[in-house]
Amino acid sequence: MSTGARTAPFRGPAARLLARSLSGAGGPLRRIALWSVLEAGPALASGWALATALDRGFLAGEPGTGLLWIGLLATLYVVRALAERALFDPLAACVEPMRDALVTAVVDATLSRAVRGAGAYDAAGVSRMTSQVDTVRLVVGALLRTARPLTVTLIATLVGLAALAPVLAAVVAVPLAAALIAFAVSMRSVIRRRRAAVVAEEDVAASTGAVLGAGRDIAALGAVALACGTTGRSARASARASVAVAWAAAARVPIVLLGGQLPLLLVLLAGPTLVEEGTVSAGEVVGASLYVTGSLVPALQLLTGTVAGLWGQLQVVLERLAAATEPCEEPASGTVRGDAPSGYRIDVDHLTFAYGPHAEPVVRDVRLSVPEGDHLVIVGASGVGKSTLAGLLAGLERPSGGRILLGGRPVADLGTRERPAAVALLPQEAYVFRGTLRDNLRYLAPDADPAAVAASIAAMGLGPVVERLGGVDAVLDDPAAELSSGERQLVAAARTWLSDAPVVILDEATCHLDMRSEAVVEAAFAARPGTLVVIAHRLASALRGRRVLLLDGTRAVCGTHTELLAAEPGYAALVGHWDGTAPPAGRPDASPVPGE
């Protein structure tokens, strides 16, 4: 996004984002406009009512008439108070749904980028979803309460002043116009500096999030000073940006003097001469002064202070949110767009993957074919790349070299709708969201009927958990507290079993289950139509598999359990570690630690 200075807010993506977030607020906005007309009564009539009270009442020896006009003005202020009170409900009806829409847009965009692999983890996304969205909600609400009456007040004041005394209106309008032009010019600097402040705030969130996420590594490597220096630089840059915003906002003082105090001085200086010439009356001079002091000066103070700050802040934050929520393009496909995989055979051809251009490959030159309906178990030492291979098979990572074909099509090139329909990856950490148990189970199969849901519960051995919770319609308010780690894994497994994905990858997805429950889950997936790939957590998984893929860091060997046990010492050592027996003679160091 360009950081150049722009004065007109809500253009391009920012305008579209604001329009989408307010798309359902037409009715409340119309009610706000109606009440605003009544709210403008004192600003329109105050000077005129006071001038009439003086000229036709008090100065003409008719105090009753003067009091009547003063009473009329007081009534207008009462009406304005009632209008302001009535505005709260339509204001809330605009602002709160807008916040929900913005949160939805940010979450959708962040998750979309994550599942497409469109970049690294974005720690600043937390700042957008919390502080920036709340900033927009608060600022829009504040602007509707301030900028709206300010605009109405300025227009009503100038109309009332022109109707009262056109010559005095001309005296006021010239310096006011100059002040408004100066204000528009100064806003360029304010917005530019406020944009820099918002970017600096995001940098603080990103650097702090990165440091917190790598806390153990930082402590282990003794890099505390380096980490503190990184976050400290971000914090100092944010503080400098905030000070720069404050200096830019200081220009409001001369603008108020030019557009508010100078017109009052000119009215008071020109008034006596104009009264002597008969151009205006004494009451009209006093009424014009009231227009300036009672409406114009407060409006300018509000415009250059609160409204200017809010306006610039809203523009900058909306630009950042709009840039973060722009649709993420689908990755380029090597096949004709729209081609669906022909079947679900998996072919891995010279697959290599490294986490950086200069990093040692985690997966190196793997070649493998997994026919439809196969049951493959992947084993190897800790850190050898089993979970990485699972992510590659699921299309969540793009290979550094080679390719993975699913039904003849590169799996990483499948769209975000095609991929989960073809491959379901069940990770070690099972996610259960707030809501009913039924909604959790049907998340990947929203059209599943009660019989299918019941079948998934039975297949996973989830019945006792469902019974304890009170049925599938039980509401999970805090799944982490209401379900154990193993129970959450069972819910996630039932959800995946219920889906239509023909390829299922279990990445140590049963590690929190006992051996009996693990056997039930794997047997259910093996009996389910389709292909099953299991990242083994225990020896029993390898024994249940039709074939076993051994990763040892330098090569990948595939065969049955019996074949690998006879031909691969590394596999024999791994089996010996799993079942507690000693490693083969002559290989005291050949017992890798299983699991990722």
Side-chain angles (χ1 to χ4, degrees):
M1 186 185 66
S2 173
T3 57
R6 284 179 280 179
T7 58
F10 317 141
R11 297 187 301 185
R16 291 192 294 272
L17 178 62
L18 185 64
R20 288 198 306 270
S21 63
L22 291 172
S23 59
L29 287 174
R30 285 190 291 271
R31 293 199 300 274
I32 289 172
L34 176 62
W35 287 113
S36 297
V37 173
L38 298 177
E39 193 180 16
L44 178 65
S46 59
W48 178 72
L50 181 58
T52 305
L54 289 173
D55 290 338
R56 298 184 184 180
F58 300 112
L59 296 179
E62 297 289 342
T65 301
L67 290 174
L68 180 63
W69 283 103
I70 296 297
L72 176 61
L73 181 58
T75 302
L76 291 176
Y77 277 102
V78 172
V79 171
R80 186 178 76 174
L82 295 174
E84 290 175 346
R85 172 63 184 84
L87 281 165
F88 282 99
D89 288 342
L91 284 175
C94 286
V95 172
E96 296 307 323
M98 179 197 69
R99 179 190 181 280
D100 295 341
L102 288 174
V103 168
T104 301
V106 171
V107 171
D108 285 350
T110 302
L111 293 179
S112 176
R113 281 173 168 77
V115 299
R116 287 184 171 94
Y121 164 69
D122 183 13
V126 178
S127 174
R128 297 188 188 100
M129 192 174 67
T130 55
S131 64
Q132 291 187 16
V133 169
D134 275 338
T135 294
V136 172
R137 179 178 70 88
L138 294 173
V139 169
V140 169
L143 283 174
L144 288 174
R145 294 193 307 270
T146 55
R148 173 195 50 78
L150 181 149
T151 304
V152 171
T153 296
L154 282 176
I155 295 173
T157 298
L158 293 175
V159 170
L161 182 57
L164 177 66
V167 64
L168 293 178
V171 171
V172 171
V174 174
L176 175 62
L180 293 177
I181 293 173
F183 169 73
V185 172
S186 70
M187 282 297 293
R188 298 169 66 92
S189 176
V190 172
I191 291 174
R192 183 174 62 251
R193 297 185 183 190
R194 191 171 293 280
R195 183 180 293 113
V198 172
V199 174
E201 179 182 319
E202 288 186 5
D203 288 341
V204 170
S207 62
T208 304
V211 168
L212 292 176
R216 291 196 303 173
D217 293 338
I218 291 171
L221 297 173
V224 175
L226 177 62
C228 291
T230 301
T231 56
R233 283 191 296 273
S234 299
R236 288 190 294 273
S238 180
R240 288 194 298 270
S242 298
V243 171
V245 171
W247 277 110
R252 69 188 184 92
V253 175
I255 291 174
V256 174
L257 292 176
L258 175 62
Q261 305 298 341
L262 181 58
L264 176 61
L265 179 62
L266 294 177
V267 168
L268 294 178
L269 290 176
T273 301
L274 295 174
V275 171
E276 289 179 1
E277 294 176 352
T279 305
V280 297
S281 66
E284 289 172 339
V285 173
V286 175
S289 301
L290 179 60
Y291 274 126
V292 175
T293 58
S295 298
L296 191 58
V297 171
L300 280 176
Q301 290 173 335
L302 191 63
L303 174 65
T304 57
T306 303
V307 172
L310 295 174
W311 198 257
Q313 188 178 14
L314 180 61
Q315 174 177 344
V316 172
V317 175
L318 272 177
E319 287 175 355
R320 299 299 296 174
L321 287 176
T325 56
E326 287 180 352
C328 180
E329 294 183 359
E330 295 280 354
S333 174
T335 61
V336 178
R337 188 173 181 84
D339 286 353
S342 56
Y344 49 94
R345 173 189 173 92
I346 300 174
D347 292 295
V348 182
D349 183 23
H350 295 283
L351 177 67
T352 299
F353 178 83
Y355 282 100
H358 306 293
E360 188 71 16
V362 180
V363 175
R364 188 192 304 269
D365 197 31
V366 175
R367 285 167 286 181
L368 176 70
S369 291
V370 184
E372 296 181 6
D374 200 7
H375 181 177
L376 177 69
V377 180
I378 301 176
V379 301
S382 176
V384 79
K386 302 189 298 296
S387 290
T388 300
L389 179 57
L392 289 163
L393 292 174
L396 302 182
E397 300 282 359
R398 300 187 74 85
S400 304
R403 60 180 182 170
I404 301 175
L405 301 179
L406 177 64
R409 183 173 176 185
V411 67
D413 290 348
L414 296 177
T416 54
R417 294 183 182 274
E418 296 172 291
R419 189 186 306 148
V423 183
L425 172 63
L426 192 56
Q428 184 180 94
E429 295 301 324
Y431 180 69
V432 178
F433 54 83
R434 294 180 63 183
T436 66
L437 183 59
R438 185 190 302 275
D439 289 340
N440 269 279
L441 294 174
R442 298 199 311 172
Y443 183 75
L444 298 177
D447 297 328
D449 57 32
V453 173
S456 71
I457 293 171
M460 294 298 113
L462 192 59
V465 177
V466 176
E467 184 178 353
R468 176 177 65 82
L469 293 173
V472 292
D473 292 315
V475 177
L476 301 173
D477 291 321
D478 186 1
E482 298 172 55
L483 299 172
S484 68
S485 297
E487 289 172 340
R488 291 198 298 274
Q489 285 190 330
L490 284 178
V491 172
R495 174 198 301 152
T496 304
W497 188 90
L498 195 57
S499 74
D500 294 328
V503 177
V504 172
I505 303 172
L506 305 182
D507 184 8
E508 297 194 17
T510 58
C511 63
H512 296 300
L513 299 178
D514 57 53
M515 296 184 66
R516 178 182 176 280
S517 298
E518 179 183 68
V520 169
V521 171
E522 289 187 9
F525 276 105
R528 176 183 180 272
T531 299
L532 176 62
V533 178
V534 178
I535 307 299
H537 179 68
R538 298 184 178 98
L539 171 62
S541 295
L543 297 177
R544 284 189 289 265
R546 189 173 302 159
R547 293 191 302 156
V548 179
L549 176 69
L550 171 66
L551 299 180
D552 67 2
T554 59
R555 63 198 183 106
V557 182
C558 190
T560 66
H561 169 73
T562 303
E563 292 170 347
L564 293 182
L565 195 61
E568 294 294 327
Y571 184 73
L574 183 62
V575 171
H577 179 88
W578 261 333
D579 64 16
T581 62
R587 292 182 53 85
D589 60 342
S591 295
V593 179
E596 278 294 338

